[in-house]
Amino acid sequence: MTWWRSMTMTEVSRTRPAEAVPATLAMAGAAAGENPDLNAYTWLAPPPEPPAGSGGPLAGFGAAIKANICGLGWPTDCASGILHGYRSPFDSTVVERLKAAGGICLGLANMDEFGMGSSCEYSSYGPVQNPWRQGFTAGGSSGGAAAAVAAGLAWFALGSDTGGSVRLPAHCCGVVGLKPTYGRVSRYGLVPFASSLDVIGILARSVADAALVLSVLAGADPRDATSLEAPFVIPDPDVPLPGLTLGVPRNLTAGLQAADVREDFARVLAVAGDLGLQVVDVELPAADDAVQTYLVLASAEAASNLARYDGSLYGIGPREHGTGGPRSTAYGRYVAAARTVGLGPEVKRRILLGTHVLEAGYRQRFYERARARRKVLTDQMNAVLSRIDALILPTASTGTFALGSRLDDPLAMYRTDCFTTPASLAGLPALTIPTGLDERGLPLSVQLVGPHLGEELLVRLGRTLEQALAFRSRKEAPWHRRS
Amino acid sequence: MDGMDIDKLARLAGLHLEETERRRLAPQLEEITRFCSGLPATPGQTSVDPGDAAHAENEGQVVRPLDRRIVRENLPHPDGDLIIAPSPLPETDAS
């Protein structure tokens, strides 16, 4: 086994900084050889040039970038046929900042098309395999990003989280997933799915690594009107954690069916108690409807955002697929032909749903009601978080699941997001930490949700829990044994 | 789907559904819509039933929700407006 598959960036920076670049080059080579089996990358960058300078907090470390984040010349196609052949003419803000910090892009990570999915099966490149066990999903939609990190084929990865798309893959692949507060990281250059929910997040091997990357990415950006003047400073690891109170939203966790998830969560709460953290029960009644609220709002925004993909300005047009004539074809038929061929089944389902909930006669019953419900949930979460320090709950109600097992049941797939959508709707930061393995030997995790701009607190809490749970020192993805 | 015509919905969304796709999607959308229709009304909200006569004349209109400023500033192209393609949805953006 090669050491660079399991060491963290912070460990390497501390103990063998000169080896970061050679390790990243070795990682790039391994990715080229292993990606046909894992399918974590949709595109591998040319072999990276060693960075000219030695400076920067990410100097020499290679990252997987989700295929909906733009980089100059990259085929940022969102794993969609409708953007086939598109090359981005610019760098997103996060890629600019990553490069300025000395980071290297290893390639674009596979994903559910346009970020719509919880299993990374709705990709025009085919499903991502879970590095813990082939035949199981890597979670979605940032499944390729999480799989690359878990398999040791990237030091860290950038993903996007609209309703749980960083945290669920982190849960399925046994890595750390950080969804920052909405606006803390610029979305400029992130292809939008649902603009009021989309957040660029981080997948990493440890909480400290995720914090390091966030310190590079966070801060205001004049090109994103929703970005916040809120840079992130890594909290000092030597300052002891004060007595904090964690709240368990019992109305959500009471229904946990899977015994192994229930037992793992109880164990985590016991560990938190041993650390001197106070654990109390809280109620978030509006979170019971979070999946429906999210589904209506995200689909509505997606239907609007994806209206621009008509095949005329980039990506495929009907002509490329032989289903239509030249561009003088009647516009409506031309657009329908391009979208019918270029968009996948889940994206079509969401666009149809989004169109329906916005239609006159239905808009108030669905869209306006969901908007109001989001406000109620946000108020409830903020009120609870004014009394306690953070929420603690599982990331998902089960471990990962077999590829194909939920494809014919979209509602079951949507319900996968029941523990992750509340933080997304409220725009709050959330951190997923691997905790243990389920009865099948596949990863489980816990999720911490903090107050607005409470990432510093989440990182401190997360580091402490991570150390106490010692998941990474006990377990690693079997994929590592390949070399 | 509450009497909704999936073909009309597809037309509004700029999609053409083949028969097999239509047969697969229609029941799924009905189930999802039923699931979402369980959202409780918030006090003070007006409830409008599907097919309400007051809305009949607007049937088929889709009001797009997004603040165009937010959308424009997050386009995957630095020249912004260049890729705001003519929308296959009716242009009734209230924002």
Side-chain angles (χ1 to χ4, degrees):
Chain A
M1 193 180 80
T2 40
W3 62 268
W4 42 261
R5 284 192 195 263
S6 50
M7 278 188 84
T8 68
M9 292 190 292
T10 40
E11 288 165 349
V12 172
S13 295
R14 197 171 57 242
T15 59
R16 50 213 298 183
E19 294 178 57
V21 170
T24 293
L25 293 173
M27 201 175 269
E34 297 169 23
N35 195 52
D37 292 336
L38 193 63
N39 206 22
Y41 286 97
T42 62
W43 171 78
L44 288 164
E49 297 287 328
S54 59
L58 301 176
F61 291 110
I65 312 292
K66 190 174 180 179
N68 60 351
I69 297 173
C70 289
L72 179 63
W74 300 351
T76 303
D77 63 8
C78 304
S80 176
I82 200 137
L83 281 171
H84 179 72
Y86 171 74
R87 293 266 173 176
S88 168
F90 74 113
D91 276 341
S92 56
T93 297
V94 289
V95 168
E96 266 183 11
R97 291 181 180 178
L98 186 148
K99 287 179 178 174
I104 294 168
C105 171
L106 290 169
L108 292 174
N110 204 352
M111 56 183 285
D112 286 298
E113 184 179 2
F114 284 109
M116 299 179 199
S118 305
S119 64
C120 230
E121 294 173 279
Y122 298 119
S123 163
S124 65
Y125 293 90
V128 176
Q129 296 286 338
N130 191 309
W132 287 79
R133 192 170 303 171
Q134 294 216 307
F136 282 77
T137 83
S141 64
S142 307
V149 174
L153 301 178
W155 291 102
F156 68 99
L158 301 187
S160 65
D161 190 315
T162 304
S165 285
V166 160
R167 290 161 285 161
L168 284 168
H171 165 78
C172 292
C173 292
V175 298
V176 169
L178 174 60
K179 180 199 95 74
T181 301
Y182 181 85
R184 188 144 204 180
V185 174
S186 168
R187 290 179 297 123
Y188 178 74
L190 169 69
V191 180
F193 157 17
S195 306
S196 76
L197 296 155
D198 293 339
V199 173
I200 289 180
I202 299 154
L203 294 126
R205 297 179 186 177
S206 70
V207 175
D209 278 9
L212 175 67
V213 179
L214 182 63
S215 72
V216 168
L217 303 184
D221 176 9
R223 295 170 296 186
D224 176 2
T226 63
S227 68
L228 303 170
E229 186 63 66
F232 173 78
V233 178
I234 301 171
D236 185 344
D238 295 327
V239 175
L241 201 61
L244 298 174
T245 304
L246 302 179
V248 180
R250 285 293 176 196
N251 58 307
L252 285 178
T253 59
L256 273 175
Q257 299 291 316
D260 44 7
V261 177
R262 220 170 38 233
E263 286 161 13
D264 184 73
F265 185 55
R267 183 178 64 88
V268 172
L269 295 184
V271 168
D274 292 344
L275 290 168
L277 301 166
Q278 190 184 358
V279 179
V280 298
D281 288 350
V282 297
E283 292 291 327
L284 292 170
D288 290 338
D289 307 316
V291 172
Q292 295 97 312
T293 305
Y294 167 79
L295 197 52
V296 169
L297 295 177
S299 299
E301 295 190 23
S304 185
N305 271 330
L306 271 62
R308 73 186 63 151
Y309 301 113
D310 62 357
S312 65
L313 287 170
Y314 42 61
I316 62 160
R319 195 166 31 182
E320 284 82 342
H321 284 265
T323 56
R327 297 200 169 190
S328 58
T329 310
Y331 179 68
R333 287 204 306 278
Y334 175 88
V335 169
R339 288 165 68 83
T340 298
V341 173
L343 298 174
E346 179 59 21
V347 172
K348 286 179 187 169
R349 197 153 44 221
R350 303 248 191 152
I351 288 176
L352 288 168
L353 177 65
T355 304
H356 178 57
V357 301
L358 293 174
E359 198 181 0
Y362 297 89
R363 182 183 167 96
Q364 296 231 4
R365 177 176 167 187
F366 290 104
Y367 181 69
E368 298 298 347
R369 199 173 276 196
R371 283 185 63 208
R373 200 66 184 155
R374 179 183 190 175
K375 176 75 168 60
V376 170
L377 173 62
T378 304
D379 289 348
Q380 284 178 8
M381 292 186 79
N382 287 335
V384 165
L385 285 165
S386 70
R387 299 194 301 270
I388 61 168
D389 295 292
L391 295 167
I392 185 166
L393 68 167
T395 308
S397 58
T398 65
T400 184
F401 44 95
L403 287 168
S405 61
R406 294 184 188 174
L407 280 180
D408 291 331
D409 189 353
L411 268 188
M413 191 74 90
Y414 299 152
R415 286 189 174 113
T416 307
D417 303 346
C418 63
F419 293 148
T420 53
T421 45
S424 297
L425 289 163
L428 298 175
L431 176 68
T432 282
I433 306 164
T435 53
L437 301 180
D438 66 13
E439 57 191 15
R440 303 163 303 172
L442 296 168
L444 294 172
S445 70
V446 71
Q447 179 188 195
L448 298 165
V449 179
H452 187 68
L453 296 177
E455 284 87 343
E456 284 83 355
L457 173 75
L458 289 188
V459 165
R460 296 183 70 191
L461 265 172
R463 278 191 313 219
T464 306
L465 269 178
E466 179 184 57
Q467 194 173 10
L469 292 163
F471 174 84
R472 203 171 59 83
S473 61
R474 290 184 288 115
K475 305 289 178 189
E476 62 190 16
W479 192 273
H480 291 200
R481 296 182 204 127
R482 292 168 68 98
S483 58
Chain B
M1 217 165 16
D2 292 331
M4 173 57 73
D5 177 349
I6 191 168
D7 293 319
K8 190 183 79 176
L9 198 55
R11 200 165 58 250
L12 288 170
L15 294 168
H16 170 76
L17 301 179
E18 301 294 344
E19 186 52 29
T20 48
E21 197 169 27
R22 187 183 175 286
R23 274 206 302 269
R24 185 176 51 80
L25 278 171
Q28 288 178 348
L29 282 168
E30 278 178 24
E31 189 185 9
I32 296 166
T33 307
R34 218 169 19 247
F35 175 61
C36 292
S37 66
L39 277 177
T42 301
Q45 251 197 307
T46 313
S47 177
V48 180
D49 292 329
D52 187 310
H55 291 264
E57 65 189 50
N58 297 325
E59 184 93 7
Q61 276 197 358
V62 178
V63 182
R64 301 167 71 198
L66 295 178
D67 179 341
R68 276 189 174 270
R69 188 189 61 178
I70 293 177
V71 176
R72 187 174 290 118
E73 288 174 358
N74 288 283
L75 292 171
H77 193 291
D79 297 328
D81 284 349
L82 275 180
I83 63 161
I84 298 183
S87 167
L89 303 177
E91 285 289 349
T92 53
D93 190 340
S95 66

